[in-house]
């Protein structure tokens, strides 16, 4: 299902967005998402509370009953009923801030995570009260539908990314791109790491993938890092909403300069690093152990990210990374040499060229790198030593509005299955002109280590309709002659009508 068609999430967004007024999207995002989180944990608490009340054993205020089911303990003053009843109170901002503080105090895993900016004078309290009324109308937790808030939360993240656009959508990777990466690398079991995790979309999609394939969520361990403090909090909340434990480090931090998971060797790495960062502090990291294949240039961090990711891959590890297209061909300041070394070391498995307009933050063309530590001796897959797969997916995807494109489930399946057919022992792979090609390293050397898929897959062959050229031209010219005759007839009619009105052309 396309995220462009989601039902009640859209209605809730429209209602909430009307209330935004003069507040910019970046600010409003935290106001809304904080309230949604508060409503969710309160709904979940309330459902268990009512269940215990019905049982009549007097355990409804016993914390252990909630903790046993991973339900956050919500003190009386912080429960949604209290917030809802105070919606028109001029002190509503302070009431919410106090509720957030209480919840953090009672639930150590949320310490420092919840937003406490509701009392500040700039926030219109009348609009805040109306927003509470809107959110009160939807139950965000029901048995058998644990992901109601997950859906709302992701939809809101998407809409905020659209609103903020280039200026601030870096916290969000479009879900169809995340899903493509996850479907390709299949993170069933093991350690999953995202070194620039934003609001946590890679983790959430990995959880879904495991569930859809009847795996166990307990079989995956989540590790992440995020530089932006408010985005780090968003990610913590997003994991909590989905009931996931994740090690995001004790605080937000710069992945290059303060690697919080120094000794981690991950089975799966999923990442969408910010494209083409120029000010990343290369001069302080010249002797860094991560730069095994060459020092990344000071003016662009793309190859810093790639090498950081390779450094953290386990011996059989696989990574899916979104990067700007320039990473495939740039020879600036050592980039070409690093790319050559990655190819010769056989760390690159597959490259996918993406269509335009997939991202909210940038119009820069992008691609997917699939990296693999062990292409030769992994018993799960066939040996692909010095073989590389190129997929040109630029013609896939549908426009959901003038500026944004999404992959459909069929598009995602086509890309992932092509890769799996090529990689798997019993795969039924074949080259498709204009779409995919399996290439030996000799051909890449001939192209001077440039990895742009279009160079390898060629141009799609036009379908031959069996009509010869002469016949086609005769048909076209006679059709054109007919259209010209109609055009002249219309011209005469218009002139005649104008003459009747006293105008001569």
């Amino acid at each position: 299902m396309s995220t462009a068609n989601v039902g009640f999430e859209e209605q809730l967004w429209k209602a909430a967005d009307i209330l935004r007024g003069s507040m910019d999207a970046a600010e409003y995002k935290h106001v809304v998402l904080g309230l949604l989180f508060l409503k969710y944990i309160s709904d979940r608490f309330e459902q268990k509370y009512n269940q215990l009340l019905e049982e009549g054993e007097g355990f409804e205020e016993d914390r252990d009953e909630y903790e046993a089911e991973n339900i956050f303990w919500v003190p009386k003053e912080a429960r949604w009923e209290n917030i809802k009843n105070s919606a028109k109170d001029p002190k509503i901002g302070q009431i919410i801030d106090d509720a957030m503080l209480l919840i953090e105090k009672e639930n150590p895993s949320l310490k420092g995570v919840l937003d406490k900016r509701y009392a500040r004078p700039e926030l219109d309290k009348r609009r805040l009260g109306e927003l509470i009324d809107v959110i009160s109308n939807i139950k965000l937790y029901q048995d058998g539908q644990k992901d109601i808030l997950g859906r709302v939360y992701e939809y809101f993240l998407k809409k905020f990314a659209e609103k903020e656009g280039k200026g601030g959508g870096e916290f969000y990777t479009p879900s169809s791109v995340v899903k493509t990466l996850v479907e390709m690398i299949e993170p069933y079991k093991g350690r999953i790491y995202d070194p620039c995790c934003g609001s946590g979309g890679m983790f959430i999609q990995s959880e879904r993938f495991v569930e859809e394939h009847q795996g166990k969520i307990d079989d995956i361990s989540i590790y992440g890092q995020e530089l932006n403090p408010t985005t780090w909090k968003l990610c913590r909340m997003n994991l909590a909403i989905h009931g996931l434990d994740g090690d995001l480090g004790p605080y937000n931090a710069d992945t290059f300069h303060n690697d919080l998971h120094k000794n981690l060797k991950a089975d799966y790495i999923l990442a969408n690093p910010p494209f083409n960062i120029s000010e990343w502090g290369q001069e302080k990291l010249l002797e860094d152990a991560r730069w095994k294949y060459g020092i990344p240039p000071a003016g662009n961090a793309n190859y810093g990210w790639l090498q950081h990711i390779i450094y953290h891959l386990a011996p059989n590890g696989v990574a899916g990374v979104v990067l700007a297209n320039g990473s495939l061909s740039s020879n600036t300041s050592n980039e070409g040499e690093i790319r050559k070394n990655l190819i010769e070391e056989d760390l690159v498995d597959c490259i996918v060229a993406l269509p335009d307009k997939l991202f909210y933050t940038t119009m820069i063309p992008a691609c997917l790198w699939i990296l693999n530590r062990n292409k030769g001796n992994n018993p799960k897959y066939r040996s692909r030593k010095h073989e590389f797969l190129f997929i040109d997916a630029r013609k896939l995807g549908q426009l959901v509005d003038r500026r944004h494109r999404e992959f459909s489930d069929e598009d995602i399946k086509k890309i992932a299955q092509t890769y799996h057919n090529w990689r798997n022992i019993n795969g039924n792979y074949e080259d498709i002109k204009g779409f995919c090609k399996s290439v030996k390293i000799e051909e890449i050397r001939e192209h001077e280590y440039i990895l742009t898929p279009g160079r390898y897959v060629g141009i799609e062959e036009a379908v031959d309709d069996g009509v010869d050229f002469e016949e086609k031209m005769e048909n076209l010219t006679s059709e054109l002659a007919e259209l010209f005759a109609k055009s002249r007839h219309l011209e005469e009619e218009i002139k005649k009508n104008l003459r009747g009105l006293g105008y001569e052309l």
Side-chain angles (χ1 to χ4, degrees), residues 48-243:
K48 182 66 182 171
Y49 182 91
N50 290 335
Q51 184 191 323
L52 291 168
L53 206 59
E54 277 174 34
E55 287 170 7
E57 302 287 333
F59 292 136
E60 59 271 13
E61 293 290 345
D62 184 344
R63 293 181 64 118
D64 293 343
E65 293 288 333
Y66 300 88
E67 285 173 5
E69 292 182 32
N70 289 321
I71 297 168
F72 291 113
W73 173 259
V74 185
K76 273 183 185 170
E77 303 87 328
R79 292 172 197 168
W80 190 261
E81 196 62 29
N82 188 44
I83 306 293
K84 180 182 164 186
N85 293 339
S86 309
K88 303 295 180 280
D89 189 319
K91 294 196 186 75
I92 181 60
Q94 193 57 56
I95 291 166
I96 295 169
D97 283 351
D98 291 344
M100 297 293 194
L101 281 164
L102 268 173
I103 287 166
E104 283 194 353
K105 188 179 167 193
E106 296 289 344
N107 302 278
S109 67
L110 294 176
K111 188 170 171 56
V113 170
L114 304 183
D115 207 62
K116 297 171 280 290
R117 60 176 91 190
Y118 295 89
R120 68 194 190 291
E122 310 92 277
L123 185 54
D124 183 326
K125 301 305 180 286
R126 179 185 61 79
R127 279 200 171 97
L128 179 59
E130 288 174 14
L131 181 60
I132 289 164
D133 290 343
V134 167
I135 292 172
S136 294
N137 289 329
I138 185 163
K139 197 160 183 65
L140 289 172
Y141 183 83
Q142 294 167 35
D143 270 342
Q145 290 183 291
K146 71 166 189 152
D147 205 30
I148 294 173
L149 179 61
R151 282 172 57 195
V152 174
Y153 199 84
E154 278 179 59
Y155 186 73
F156 272 44
L157 284 173
K158 171 180 179 283
K159 298 302 281 185
F160 283 124
E162 284 175 21
K163 290 272 184 188
E164 290 179 64
K166 198 165 183 236
E170 283 177 5
F171 62 87
Y172 180 81
T173 305
S175 58
S176 71
V177 176
V178 179
K179 194 171 181 187
T180 303
L181 277 179
V182 169
E183 289 291 331
M184 287 182 82
I185 76 169
E186 301 181 298
Y188 276 120
K189 193 174 185 178
R191 292 150 300 195
I192 297 173
Y193 172 51
D194 183 346
C196 40
C197 60
S199 53
M202 300 286 187
F203 303 137
I204 307 311
Q205 195 58 55
S206 298
E207 177 216 16
R208 286 212 184 110
F209 177 84
V210 172
E211 286 180 341
E212 282 167 14
H213 293 80
Q214 284 75 51
K216 295 181 189 161
I217 295 303
D218 293 346
D219 285 344
I220 60 170
S221 309
I222 288 168
Y223 298 86
Q225 183 158 343
E226 172 56 39
L227 174 61
N228 183 297
T230 49
T231 308
W232 179 79
K233 289 178 183 179
L234 276 185
C235 188
R236 292 276 305 270
M237 285 203 296
N238 208 0
L239 289 179
I241 283 162
H242 288 85

